[in-house]
Amino acid sequence: MGSEGMKQPWKIGMFQCAGLMGAWKLPENTATDFLDLNHWLTMARRCEDAGVDFLFFADDYGYPVVGDGIPATALRGGVQFPKADPTMILPALAAVTERLGLVTTLSTTVEKPPMVARKMATLDHITNGRIGWNIVTGAGQNASARLFGLPMTEHDLRYEIAADHVDLSLKLWEGCWDEGGLVIDREAGIFADPDKVREIEHHGPHFDAKGLLPVPPGPQRTPMLFQAGASVPGRDLAAKYAEAVFLAAEVPALTAQIADIRRRAEEYGRDPRSIKCLIAGTFVVAETEADAHALRARQTGTRSLEDAAASYAFFTGLDLSVMDPDKPLDVEAALTQTGRTNVERFLGPDAPTVREILEEFQRNSVMGAPFIGDAGQVVDQAQAVIEATDADGFLVQPDHTGTFDSFIDLVMPELRARGLVATDLPAMTLRERLLGTGTPHLAPEHPGAAYRRDVASAKSPATA
Ligand SMILES: Cc1cc2nc3c(=O)[nH]c(=O)nc-3n(C[C@H](O)[C@H](O)[C@H](O)COP(=O)(O)O)c2cc1C
């Protein structure tokens, strides 16, 4: 698979969260400016000028919880904490950019479908169709459940809820307003055509609704749909609904995850190539290889093993600091109801010890091993991973400065010189930009497309 058709240019997204990330302790790092709007405006403009495809904001309501509280080390060390609300920042970024895609996470465990549908439909308008929704069931579940005063929903049940959530959201985006439903004829006094605007009904296993999305459809109708969370039910959710997936793993696990998502997509009647698989990639790049390795050493030196344990607790709910460092995770650990990706990752025949897991988390956290070297070297390494995995591009981690400056200044020119990325793309919707199918709307075989009444009736004119 992957050999047929033309080689597509790599898709390049940039990873952020509206809070502290990575090596914030380095003096040149700017992540502590996360509550200063100018920090984000500058970053968005730079990304747009560099020709990258989109800027992504991860989000969740969680923070590390171990036992019954927040470990002091998480507060002191700024581990998965603090963070602001990215949906409050995105409109400002839309105002200073014209081509850059803007993607954010909204959790299906926390947010209700009409809220997601309304926010995303509004953002689709004000970004001119450049918005994407990253569908997650949510990291930091144990903390998030406490914050909302709710019992923690079991892991697999969260994914069942997610599927029902997306199904209802799709009905709201696709089913309420036909094309031409918005009339705005002042002379005739008609705002909307009652024959083309309606309430949808949904009676799913977890959500019941009869209602109208009060926002008329934006350029994409449904925002471009992303997904993150690579546990088995996570991959299944991606295969059913996602148009792009974020993955963080290394070869060969990454190759297997991508093949599994594409196989499942085919089972759902979708074109397996229509899902863009994006690898969360760390590029430690400098003018020389030696400088890059020195940079890497400085970055890793900012994270203690205690920070790593707090970060691991955030993603999995497991406290490695109280486990036997010389043994692998025990089977009971695998039953965690918090995130699964970073538990499953460390099980199996060659399972590392708890100490090795901590060291791995100290170095790379949830990401795979970084690409390190000068521009030519990191692109060689990235190319090898793309070839080994059949992936479509990268979600680039911020560098030691908390920005993407080194990637933009050193790696982007190298990618362009090798013809690996598209150049000088005009303004278009995010879906058109990433999928290249020439339409801003969901593909006809996407489950959401079936909810468009005008499309359904247009398919069978004989019955009109
Ligand atoms: C690149 C990338 C971005 C992610 N972004 C988010 C995010 O914004 N919010 C979130 O809760 N989880 C995010 N996740 C997923 C979490 O790491 C976690 O796996 C997931 O929320 C729990 O699902 P799981 O049980 O399938 O692992 C992201 C994962 C990756 C690889």
Side-chain angles (χ1 to χ4, degrees), residues 15 58-59 105 134 136 138-139 155 159 228-229 231 246 248 315 339-341 395:
F15 183 103
D59 194 28
T105 296
N134 180 34
V136 300
H155 181 268
Y159 274 105
S231 60
F246 297 138
F315 284 102
R340 287 268 169 88
T341 304
L395 180 66

Side-chain angles (χ1 to χ4, degrees), residues 220 222-224 243 429-435 440-442:
Q220 301 181 109
T222 293
M224 166 105 190
E243 300 170 282
T429 63
L430 181 57
R431 181 170 285 113
E432 287 168 288
R433 184 165 185 136
L434 291 187
L435 302 187
H441 297 135
L442 290 171

Side-chain angles (χ1 to χ4, degrees), residues 9 47 50 82 107-109 111 114 123 183 220 223-225 234 244 252 256 269 296 315 355 357 402 419 433 446:
C47 289
S107 152
T108 53
T109 309
E111 305 257 351
L123 286 168
V183 180
Q220 301 181 109
M224 166 105 190
L225 299 175
R296 171 72 175 158
F315 284 102
R355 190 196 317 277
I357 296 173
R433 184 165 185 136
H446 190 283

Side-chain angles (χ1 to χ4, degrees), residues 212-353:
L212 169 69
L213 180 68
V215 189
Q220 301 181 109
R221 274 186 175 264
T222 293
M224 166 105 190
L225 299 175
F226 292 70
Q227 186 274 351
S231 60
V232 173
R235 297 202 296 268
D236 200 64
L237 184 75
K240 189 164 185 193
Y241 293 116
E243 300 170 282
V245 183
F246 297 138
L247 295 156
E250 286 170 28
V251 178
L254 193 55
T255 314
Q257 285 177 4
I258 292 175
D260 183 65
I261 290 168
R262 297 208 198 282
R263 179 186 59 76
R264 287 170 191 266
E266 210 157 12
E267 279 172 17
Y268 280 118
R270 300 181 62 202
D271 172 3
R273 306 289 327 165
S274 69
I275 304 182
K276 300 296 164 203
C277 294
L278 304 176
I279 305 166
T282 308
F283 291 76
V284 185
V285 62
E287 293 289 349
T288 69
E289 185 180 4
D291 286 352
H293 280 283
L295 201 52
R296 171 72 175 158
R298 285 182 68 227
Q299 273 175 305
T300 345
T302 64
R303 277 196 302 272
S304 65
L305 283 176
E306 288 74 34
D307 290 347
S311 175
Y312 193 81
F314 167 79
F315 284 102
T316 64
L318 300 178
D319 184 5
L320 295 183
S321 68
V322 296
M323 295 183 193
D324 184 340
D326 297 316
K327 291 210 175 112
L329 290 176
D330 63 28
V331 179
E332 217 177 295
L335 295 176
T336 173
Q337 295 302 329
T338 308
R340 287 268 169 88
T341 304
N342 289 288
V343 178
E344 289 170 4
R345 179 180 160 195
F346 298 118
L347 298 175
D350 297 322
T353 63

Side-chain angles (χ1 to χ4, degrees), residues 12-44:
I12 303 290
M14 302 313 218
F15 183 103
Q16 272 293 341
C17 76
L20 280 197
M21 274 185 83
W24 69 269
K25 293 171 197 163
L26 292 179
E28 66 269 42
N29 191 285
T30 58
T32 45
D33 294 339
F34 72 96
L35 292 171
D36 177 350
L37 188 55
N38 281 320
H39 173 70
W40 300 115
L41 298 180
T42 306
M43 188 180 291

